[in-house]
Amino acid sequence: MSRTEPVNLALDGLDPRVLLVYGAVDASVARLVARDAAGGAQEIGLVHGPRNTRFFAYAVRPHAAEDLVAFDASKDRLYSAGGKIHEFTSGLTSSS
């Protein structure tokens, strides 16, 4: 885990039809929400790991992904991956 960010995130676009988003969150993250380009939001489940680390993974159509937002127990926003997702997906080619 990064000592400066509560979310350690990786993006995988090897298959141009699917964007895999996965990583780990530290103990400060109470809720993780994925947002799509259509304005929808989906809470992402967290799997417990060692030393207060929890893991997550989900798949989405590459250009539908908009943001991944982490919140603490007080519902304060801790982290947003929107910039990283946009930068990554802008380098992917669309498939039919």
Side-chain angles (χ1 to χ4, degrees):
M1 288 300 308
S2 166
R3 295 199 185 274
T4 59
E5 296 288 347
V7 178
N8 189 353
L9 166 72
L11 301 167
D12 181 336
L14 186 60
D15 182 333
R17 299 166 298 176
V18 178
L19 174 65
L20 297 176
V21 182
Y22 59 95
V25 300
D26 69 18
S28 67
V29 175
R31 194 167 159 238
L32 198 59
V33 176
R35 298 182 193 242
D36 63 31
Q42 177 68 43
E43 188 159 351
I44 302 300
L46 300 170
V47 177
H48 289 275
R51 296 185 302 269
N52 292 322
T53 299
R54 289 167 295 155
F55 300 97
F56 67 92
Y58 71 99
V60 64
R61 291 175 51 205
H63 299 286
E66 193 70 27
D67 202 356
L68 180 69
V69 183
F71 297 93
D72 66 11
S74 300
K75 300 181 183 177
D76 291 329
R77 187 176 174 147
L78 296 174
Y79 175 86
S80 170
K84 186 173 184 174
I85 291 170
H86 177 72
E87 182 180 338
F88 184 85
T89 58
S90 66
L92 298 176
T93 58
S94 296
S95 70
S96 38

